[in-house]
Amino acid sequence: MPATYEPIATATVASTGGTVTFSSIPSTYTDLILISSARRGVDGSGGDAVKAQVNGDSGSNYSWNGISYNAGGTGASRANNQSIFIAGACEDGIYSTSICHFMNYSNTTTFKTMLTRTSSTGTQGVGTTVNLWRSTTAINSIFLNAASGFYAGSVFTLYGIKAA
Amino acid sequence: MAPILGVIASSISPFINSTSYESIATVNVGSTPQSSITFSSIPSTYTHLQIRCFVMGNTGTSSFMRFNGDTGANYVWHTIYGISSAIGSNSGTSQTGIFANGFNEGFSTTYPTVAVIDILDYTNTNKNKVTRNLNGQDWNSPGSISLASGLWQNTAAINSITIYTSSFTNYSSFALYGIKG
């Protein structure tokens, strides 16, 4: 039986402060899954989201709604017309684990919706976010960044899931 | 800061067995709206199931899930959610279905509603069945995100799953996967 859940690519940050790009993503899958083990590229006491853009789109075409529990307590947040979406979390000093589902990423008829779950401690905490990219274009690249980039050793793996 | 290009993996990850996660069936909704979709004759050869939902619709109501055709009040569900900047929780006991997705606004024909639903140990005849659900939708205001659990108070192995609402519309897709333990 053909593989249903396949690794597409892995990117490991070699130098602290770097960013990550997955390019030439094949359109042959149904969903994508991005798994991150990410640490922010500074030795401080804060953290940031893993901020993402797709297809090089840096316009105000993203939005999200999330819930979280972190050092600041429990809460919900949303943002409209943003230039990035939330693909994970990264703290200072520790590697946080996140998973981001890109649902029906290759269809060319609907907007794109992504579901993110983050597991971290400190400023980012535990949470989940739904993200929207207002474009019907198939996703073929993913750019990942954070304030001060990522720490060396941060790893991002992209998987493809293919429905029958 | 210099971008770092992703590289194509040179070998299959040792942590992924390509035959452990298999596609069982997919239901795509076409131009004629449907009020439900059903996965039937689900094989008992897996350990867990996962349903990945991509939903378009024109109803303000949520969707729910039933097993083995059971329409009785044998379901329970709980959820924590965020609707815009408000966080909350909700639950239903003695329900006729488990909440599936479309928590607050229902569904849209413009903005997708998505869900990843895990059904653990679905063939075990010694346990009631439990589901785990991550779902959400964002319409560039409003939006909602939800983590939900569900319980079917029945120890029977699951052999069919029905997800229903008032109207699933064109481009909705429901994909069922089996995971081997």
Side-chain angles (χ1 to χ4, degrees), chain B residues 33-132:
Chain B
Q34 298 178 211
S35 61
S36 69
I37 66 97
T38 296
F39 296 108
S40 58
S41 302
I42 297 172
S44 61
T45 50
Y46 301 98
T47 304
H48 311 303
L49 298 174
Q50 184 175 84
I51 306 171
R52 303 179 69 88
C53 308
F54 186 92
V55 181
M56 313 297 287
N58 56 14
T59 173
T61 58
S62 304
S63 69
F64 292 84
M65 184 164 57
R66 291 172 173 154
F67 302 122
N68 294 13
D70 182 2
T71 59
N74 300 312
Y75 304 88
V76 179
W77 56 267
H78 292 77
T79 181
I80 57 172
Y81 62 81
I83 298 173
S84 293
S85 58
I87 190 167
S89 61
N90 201 353
S91 64
T93 57
S94 300
Q95 301 290 290
T96 57
I98 292 172
F99 165 72
N101 54 11
F103 180 70
N104 186 53
E105 297 87 9
F107 302 106
S108 164
T109 55
T110 301
Y111 301 98
T113 300
V114 297
V116 178
I117 304 171
D118 294 310
I119 306 172
L120 307 178
D121 231 359
Y122 75 104
T123 64
N124 192 313
T125 56
N126 296 307
K127 302 176 182 177
N128 292 327
K129 304 305 179 287
V130 175
T131 66
R132 180 180 69 178

Side-chain angles (χ1 to χ4, degrees), chain A residues 8 25-32 102-108 112 133 137-140 160-161, chain B residues 54:
Chain A
I8 297 173
I25 298 171
S27 61
T28 51
Y29 300 99
T30 305
D31 302 330
L32 298 174
F102 295 72
M103 306 296 283
N104 219 342
Y105 76 103
S106 63
N107 92 81
T108 56
K112 306 302 179 289
W133 180 44
T137 305
I139 293 174
N140 55 52
I161 293 181
Chain B
F54 186 92

